[in-house]
Amino acid sequence: MAENLIDIRELKKYYPVHGGIFKRHIADIKAVDGVDLKIEKGECLGLVGESGCGKTTLGKTILRLHGATSGRIYFGQSEDIIERIESLLKSENPEERQEGEKLLRQHDLTRLSRKNLLPLRKKIQIVFQDPSNSLNPRMLVKAIIAEPLIAQRLMSGKDIEKRVLELLYTVGLAKEHMMRYPHEFSGGQRQRIAIARALATYPEFILMDEPTSALDVSVQAQILNLLKKLQDEFKLTYLFVTHHLLVVKHISNRIAVMYLGKMAELGPTAEIFDKPLHPYTKALLSAIPIPDPKTKMEKIILSGDVPNPINPPSGCRFHPRCKYAKDICREVEPKLEVAEGRHQVACHRWKEIS
């Protein structure tokens, strides 16, 4: 059984909406709304869905770049500790619940103090979507890559320069690139610099926030192959956020499908592509272009627009756009449950439509 590096329980991230003369809190944008997810150590989990479904927000909440509204995130904790905390929180005994809350402040990433979070920062890193915006244009490449090493006080002096040079070689760049500015590089080279910076602190987990979407197709393949090579070499764990399904098919071990802040489907990549169970996943896969003009594939055209996350639909959030929806879909919210082996789906009618 695979060991989990990250265990997310009932995670929510709401953004307040203010209105009126006095700018009072009148509603919430429910970007992430009760997500349960486990990321296994050493895997690449692809996170897909339409724009605005909460993919990037989920990733940045895991990294504490955004503060969680509620829920728990366990990073690198043993199953025994997690289950003990969860059982204490569900206890009817107030003293046991209080003990559970005390343990959460020590083990839950969303509740860690700034002081306790700082050592954990070196273990979790991010590669942003657009390297043109994520790299400081006034800093030399040497300073950009060395910045996390200095911030974490991991190295000093010549050791930093040696580490920067090592990282440049690792991502396919050379010593001559150290004393240049970001604007002197191509898009693919800038993303290699961003990857080198993410690797600087010897991380265990890296959030890949659409790292290839701003690149040309030929360069995308190079970066994806580099990421796979680095994952094998350094035993890294990735959360790969993208809207490009063929990209996650190439790089991911499992795929998680999000819709309007909820998890719709989760399973091994091959199973998701061969036999999708959720109607939303089927629609996403049907939109993939096929290079052979002689091959005919039915396109599933979803009706209507994505509902407003301020006031999401009752029951299954996908039901206003689902041709299979029945009364139960409108009234009862489906749970993400095991459907076939490791394959999970949140749909009341998956057995009828699969």
Side-chain angles (χ1 to χ4, degrees):
M1 187 174 179
E3 183 182 353
N4 296 319
L5 180 66
I6 296 176
D7 193 332
I8 300 167
R9 306 286 179 103
E10 300 174 358
L11 187 66
K12 295 181 180 181
K13 176 56 185 175
Y14 294 173
Y15 294 99
V17 177
H18 300 94
I21 298 174
F22 300 104
K23 300 296 181 184
R24 290 176 177 153
H25 179 202
I26 59 173
D28 290 297
I29 298 173
K30 299 172 181 176
V32 176
D33 194 14
V35 166
D36 294 310
L37 183 65
K38 295 179 181 180
I39 303 176
E40 297 171 2
K41 188 173 286 187
E43 80 165 337
C44 176
L45 176 65
L47 185 59
V48 302
E50 291 172 286
S51 296
C53 70
K55 307 185 300 294
T56 296
T57 302
L58 173 60
K60 290 184 177 180
T61 304
I62 293 173
L63 266 64
R64 273 282 293 268
L65 297 179
H66 294 171
T69 301
S70 66
R72 285 91 63 203
I73 302 174
Y74 302 104
F75 182 88
Q77 304 293 340
S78 69
E79 283 292 326
D80 293 340
I81 291 175
I82 295 171
E83 293 308 320
R84 171 167 168 72
I85 293 172
E86 291 295 315
S87 65
L88 288 171
L89 294 175
K90 294 175 184 175
S91 174
E92 296 181 359
N93 187 328
E95 291 183 0
E96 290 186 350
R97 288 201 302 273
Q98 189 174 3
E99 183 185 351
E101 290 291 340
K102 184 179 178 181
L103 288 172
L104 276 181
R105 289 193 289 272
Q106 301 171 19
H107 300 284
D108 176 16
L109 196 148
T110 70
R111 290 170 171 81
L112 290 180
S113 65
R114 186 186 179 101
K115 180 182 178 182
N116 291 333
L117 183 64
L118 187 61
L120 199 60
R121 285 287 183 203
K122 63 185 177 184
K123 297 182 180 180
I124 52 177
Q125 293 293 329
I126 182 171
V127 175
F128 292 95
Q129 179 176 355
D130 188 356
S132 300
N133 294 327
S134 65
L135 302 178
N136 190 328
R138 297 186 178 185
M139 292 176 68
L140 293 168
V141 168
K142 176 183 175 181
I144 289 172
I145 298 176
E147 191 173 20
L149 295 170
I150 296 169
Q152 287 285 342
R153 299 178 181 177
L154 296 178
M155 295 178 185
S156 60
K158 291 184 178 180
D159 289 336
I160 288 181
E161 186 171 340
K162 183 179 178 182
R163 176 63 176 158
V164 169
L165 187 58
E166 176 188 320
L167 289 164
L168 285 173
Y169 289 146
T170 299
V171 299
L173 297 175
K175 184 177 181 179
E176 63 198 51
H177 297 127
M178 287 178 65
M179 305 307 291
R180 296 183 187 176
Y181 291 94
H183 73 269
E184 299 178 72
F185 296 90
S186 67
Q189 288 175 320
R190 282 196 289 265
Q191 198 61 295
R192 289 173 186 270
I193 295 167
I195 293 169
R197 178 178 60 184
L199 292 172
T201 58
Y202 306 94
E204 296 177 30
F205 172 75
I206 302 180
L207 168 62
M208 298 289 176
D209 185 14
E210 303 199 36
T212 60
S213 63
L215 306 176
D216 295 336
V217 175
S218 59
V219 180
Q220 284 185 16
Q222 295 173 18
I223 296 299
L224 288 174
N225 290 333
L226 172 64
L227 292 176
K228 289 187 74 173
K229 172 178 170 289
L230 295 174
Q231 184 182 20
D232 294 338
E233 186 175 345
F234 299 112
K235 310 302 180 189
L236 297 169
T237 303
Y238 293 154
L239 176 61
F240 199 100
V241 175
T242 184
H243 59 270
H244 198 316
L245 284 161
L246 290 180
V247 168
V248 291
K249 185 179 183 180
H250 176 71
I251 196 171
S252 299
N253 306 103
R254 290 190 303 150
I255 294 177
V257 183
M258 278 191 79
Y259 183 77
L260 208 61
K262 293 280 189 181
M263 204 60 66
E265 191 163 355
L266 173 66
T269 300
E271 291 183 23
I272 293 287
F273 274 83
D274 292 343
K275 192 180 179 182
L277 301 179
H278 199 285
Y280 178 60
T281 310
K282 293 183 178 184
L284 290 178
L285 292 174
S286 77
I288 298 175
I290 298 174
D292 185 359
K294 295 181 181 179
T295 303
K296 300 293 182 181
M297 183 173 178
E298 181 187 356
K299 299 284 184 182
I300 301 174
I301 308 299
L302 298 177
S303 61
D305 298 321
V306 179
N308 191 334
I310 295 177
N311 186 25
S314 60
C316 175
R317 295 194 172 182
F318 186 62
H319 86 256
R321 307 174 74 190
C322 180
K323 65 179 181 180
Y324 305 105
K326 297 293 183 182
D327 289 340
I328 188 174
C329 304
R330 300 179 180 91
E331 297 166 3
V332 181
E333 181 180 319
K335 302 292 184 183
L336 189 68
E337 60 182 6
V338 176
E340 295 180 356
R342 293 179 63 204
H343 203 140
Q344 295 174 276
V345 63
C347 177
H348 294 296
R349 307 193 60 226
W350 69 268
K351 290 183 180 178
E352 301 171 45
I353 61 182
S354 60

